[in-house]
């Protein structure tokens, strides 16, 4: 039975792609090829595989699967999201200029300002939601417009189609970090983007147990260029980790669908709580860019942020929560609560941070697979404690208080 010649929906594609059944054995799971090298039968021509940095059958299965899901022609798997993003930036040379979302992921910000600068690559951070501002900052040397939508942690929306058109007119590329939405909800290549990057560490793998990055392109020359850079720079994803990502992908749709449904319910609940000053969620009608978001995606996703009065309120609220993990990262089976001021944006001066709306009262929640009523009950009691001024407690490890977290935990996010 050929699985390639008829159209199936994403849910089906996640489970029944061309690697779902192994042709030689009938195995319904992709074998993990740990081999670093491959025996060659001839002296004058190499076989399909020669060395695992250049090509590995397990990695290839993942790369073909993600390419198909994003509607691209070729995919590439890397050791982390940052390895994928950094490799994509190696396309550019001294004298080139890159235009980037001002609220880009912290690691991408660090790559651009700390590394590209040293290689003589110029950059400008702009508010991508304002197309006039983007236009105004294009230079003759601009080679890429780099987008993240929704952005982190304020879930700002960029019009992928409009930016891609602008880039095309200007003769430069459009890159989209699609980590928050995944191809299940958003397919930037179909909206005109040239290259999609993912931290597959998040929703795509989904279990907080693997670091991985992906790149997908549609243009043949761009595919050749990324392939060359992947092999040259060498930050490839190991075979075992490729298998973990492939396994995560099979449940991506149900996980995201369920988490998104719960996110809606939590947002509705939080909007009734007087201590919550603001909620940032692209699914809310009043959210800036929500109409554009609805037009370019299939859902608002499973991540939202909300604002309490100040740090003291955050401390008390968080100390009384039992269910969500309080940590850096997102997109996992467990709900993950993050504190941007001390985690993703700790390196940013307070003034700069607050100017961008990232106040000391802001929390971000990536909704997991817990029952929504349990999450609401947990939030309810934590808000009650906040209201009554109950003393902060040492949460220790979940679900019961099993000791004090190591001191290093508090600074983990600064480095991530
Ligand atoms: C986590 C993340 C990254 C970096 O990915 P790693 O796998 O941690 O290297 C990049 N972009 C976004 C939006 C992320 O959330």
């Amino acid at each position: 039975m050929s699985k390639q010649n008829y159209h199936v929906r994403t849910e089906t594609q996640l489970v029944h792609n061309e690697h779902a059944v192994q042709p030689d054995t009938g195995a319904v799971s992709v074998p993990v090829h740990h081999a670093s090298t491959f025996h060659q039968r001839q002296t004058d021509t190499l076989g399909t595989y020669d060395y695992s940095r250049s090509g590995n059958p397990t990695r290839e299965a993942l790369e073909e699967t993600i390419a198909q899901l994003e509607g691209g022609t070729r995919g590439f798997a890397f050791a982390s999201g940052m390895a994928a993003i950094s490799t994509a930036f190696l396309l550019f040379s001294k004298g080139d200029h890159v235009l980037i979302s001002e609220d880009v992921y912290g690691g991408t910000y660090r790559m651009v300002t700390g590394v590209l600068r040293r290689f003589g690559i110029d950059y400008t951070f702009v508010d991508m939601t304002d197309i006039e501002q983007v236009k105004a900052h294009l230079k003759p040397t601009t080679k890429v417009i780099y987008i993240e939508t929704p952005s982190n942690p304020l879930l700002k929306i960029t019009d992928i189609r409009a930016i891609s058109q602008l880039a095309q007119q200007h003769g430069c590329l459009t890159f989209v970090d699609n980590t928050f939405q995944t191809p299940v909800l958003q397919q930037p290549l179909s909206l005109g983007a040239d290259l999609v990057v993912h931290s597959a560490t998040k929703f795509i793998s989904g279990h907080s147990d693997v670091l991985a990055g992906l790149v997908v392109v549609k243009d043949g020359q761009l595919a050749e260029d990324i392939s060359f850079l992947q092999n040259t720079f060498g930050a490839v994803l190991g075979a075992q980790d490729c298998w973990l990502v492939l396994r995560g992908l099979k449940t991506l749709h149900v996980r995201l669908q369920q988490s998104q449904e719960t996110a809606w319910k939590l947002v509705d609940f939080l909007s009734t709580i007087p201590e919550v000053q603001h909620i940032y969620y692209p699914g809310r009608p009043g959210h800036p860019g929500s109409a554009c978001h609805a037009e370019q995606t299939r859902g608002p996703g499973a991540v939202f942020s909300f604002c309490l009065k100040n740090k003291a309120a955050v401390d008390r609220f968080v100390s009384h929560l039992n269910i969500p993990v309080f940590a850096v990262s997102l997109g996992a089976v467990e709900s993950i609560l993050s504190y941007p001021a001390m985690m993703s944006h700790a390196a940013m001066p307070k003034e700069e941070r607050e100017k961008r709306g990232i106040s000391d009262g802001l929390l971000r929640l990536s909704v997991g697979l817990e029952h929504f009523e349990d999450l609401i009950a947990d939030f309810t009691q934590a808000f009650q404690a906040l209201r009554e001024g109950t003393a902060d407690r040492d949460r220790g490890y979940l679900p019961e208080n099993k000791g004090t977290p190591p001191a290093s935990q508090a600074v983990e996010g600064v480095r991530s």
Side-chain angles (χ1 to χ4, degrees):
M1 182 175 73
S2 166
K3 290 209 164 81
Q4 280 147 291
N5 297 331
Y6 61 94
H7 178 75
V8 294
R9 291 167 185 78
T10 311
E11 293 91 321
T12 311
Q13 213 179 39
L14 286 168
V15 186
H16 293 283
N17 52 59
E18 60 186 287
H19 296 285
V21 177
Q22 299 307 301
D24 45 353
T25 58
V28 297
S29 171
V30 174
V32 183
H33 290 278
H34 283 292
S36 59
T37 192
F38 299 81
H39 175 66
Q40 304 302 317
R41 295 171 199 280
Q42 291 166 336
T43 51
D44 47 359
T45 48
L46 292 175
T48 312
Y49 305 102
D50 54 79
Y51 189 62
S52 267
R53 173 162 34 71
S54 319
N56 171 287
T58 312
R59 195 173 85 227
E60 200 172 273
L62 170 60
E63 294 177 332
E64 286 177 11
T65 302
I66 191 64
Q68 201 178 14
L69 290 169
E70 284 284 8
T73 57
R74 267 186 86 179
F76 303 90
F78 296 89
S80 69
M82 280 320 303
I85 291 165
S86 303
T87 302
F89 274 125
L90 291 179
L91 286 164
F92 307 111
S93 311
K94 186 175 174 178
D96 289 348
H97 173 252
V98 300
L99 205 53
I100 307 172
S101 296
E102 63 182 1
D103 44 3
V104 77
Y105 177 74
T108 309
Y109 177 88
R110 186 168 44 211
M111 175 64 194
V112 170
T113 57
V115 180
L116 293 192
R117 185 211 287 274
R118 283 201 290 107
F119 288 99
I121 297 169
D122 189 18
Y123 55 84
T124 312
F125 290 97
V126 291
D127 178 0
M128 271 306 157
T129 66
D130 180 355
I131 191 105
E132 293 308 320
Q133 211 192 105
V134 179
K135 269 186 204 160
H137 286 94
L138 277 170
K139 296 183 184 189
T141 50
T142 306
K143 290 290 162 65
V144 67
I145 307 182
Y146 188 103
I147 304 174
E148 234 175 277
T149 181
S151 70
N152 179 33
L154 299 180
L155 293 304
K156 287 196 190 172
I157 305 305
T158 293
D159 186 335
I160 299 175
R161 201 178 265 128
I163 295 287
S164 302
Q165 257 169 22
L166 184 65
Q168 213 164 25
Q169 286 159 10
H170 192 74
C172 72
L173 300 170
T174 306
F175 290 4
V176 179
D177 183 332
N178 203 25
T179 300
F180 272 44
Q181 292 296 96
T182 83
V184 162
L185 295 179
Q186 179 170 279
Q187 292 173 306
L189 297 180
S190 73
L191 300 167
D194 299 288
L195 183 146
V196 171
V197 292
H198 281 286
S199 168
T201 309
K202 316 294 169 54
F203 288 103
I204 284 183
S205 64
H207 294 70
S208 300
D209 56 10
V210 61
L211 278 172
L214 299 166
V215 166
V216 182
V217 298
K218 53 185 175 185
D219 175 73
Q221 185 55 50
L222 197 50
E224 285 306 313
D225 293 346
I226 293 287
S227 173
F228 172 82
L229 289 170
Q230 182 191 39
N231 187 37
T232 302
F233 191 56
V236 294
L237 189 62
Q240 186 70 43
D241 289 347
C242 289
W243 186 86
L244 280 169
V245 177
L246 277 165
R247 183 159 79 165
L249 268 173
K250 294 183 187 187
T251 56
L252 175 62
H253 196 281
V254 279
R255 284 186 285 108
L256 204 49
Q257 208 65 38
Q258 185 62 42
S259 293
Q260 180 174 265
E261 214 171 280
T262 305
W264 273 114
K265 289 174 177 155
L266 287 174
V267 163
D268 280 347
F269 163 76
L270 290 175
S271 63
T272 67
I273 301 292
E275 283 76 13
V276 174
Q277 299 183 335
H278 196 87
I279 303 170
Y280 301 87
Y281 187 51
R284 298 193 95 203
H287 187 84
S290 62
C292 169
H293 185 76
E295 210 262 314
Q296 68 187 5
T297 77
R298 296 189 202 95
V303 180
F304 64 84
S305 296
F306 59 102
C307 210
L308 302 182
K309 191 173 167 199
N310 51 28
K311 180 163 188 300
V314 165
D315 284 346
R316 181 144 307 154
F317 176 69
V318 171
S319 83
H320 285 275
L321 275 180
N322 290 307
I323 294 177
V325 174
F326 187 55
V328 169
S329 200
L330 61 115
V333 290
E334 61 276 347
S335 290
I336 301 178
L337 187 69
S338 305
Y339 186 41
M342 288 301 290
M343 294 176 175
S344 54
H345 292 72
M348 199 177 274
K350 190 175 155 88
E351 260 174 50
E352 193 60 30
R353 194 161 45 70
E354 294 201 330
K355 209 163 70 188
R356 293 172 195 226
I358 304 160
S359 70
D360 283 347
L362 189 76
L363 286 165
R364 185 193 74 194
L365 186 72
S366 163
V367 181
L369 299 180
E370 303 90 349
H371 197 290
F372 79 92
E373 284 175 359
D374 292 334
L375 286 168
I376 287 180
D378 192 27
F379 274 52
T380 301
Q381 64 79 27
F383 279 120
Q384 192 64 29
L386 173 60
R387 225 163 278 151
E388 289 167 0
T390 313
D392 295 2
R393 67 185 176 91
D394 178 1
R395 244 170 121 236
Y397 291 120
L398 294 168
E400 291 155 71
N401 207 339
K402 285 182 187 149
T404 311
S408 64
Q409 189 170 308
V411 293
E412 203 60 34
V414 179
R415 288 183 273 117
S416 75

